Amino acid sequence: MTNANLYADTVEKKKDDAKELVAILNKIPEEKKGEVIGIVKGYALCAENQRVR
């Protein structure tokens, strides 16, 4: 697989993940969205830190 194809596959996967996340966030009551987004950001930071190590 070429780098261009690998990149395109990765971008498509991220788009699919983003669509899924938006669909889930739309189901959460407005008063809880800030809390949930904070949890998701914290999880993403932990995942990023794990990848760096």
Side-chain angles (χ1 to χ4, degrees):
M1 186 175 278
T2 68
N3 284 341
N5 288 343
L6 184 59
Y7 177 77
D9 289 344
T10 301
V11 169
E12 286 304 313
K13 172 81 170 96
K14 288 184 179 188
K15 284 181 183 178
D16 290 342
D17 290 347
K19 287 177 187 175
E20 184 178 350
L21 183 57
V22 167
I24 292 168
L25 287 173
N26 284 334
K27 295 178 185 177
I28 297 171
E30 279 300 316
E31 64 273 3
K32 294 287 185 179
K33 281 188 181 180
E35 182 179 347
V36 170
I37 290 172
I39 292 168
V40 170
K41 284 182 179 179
Y43 179 78
L45 283 172
C46 288
E48 188 68 28
N49 287 337
Q50 289 296 323
R51 191 172 4 147
V52 170
R53 292 181 184 181

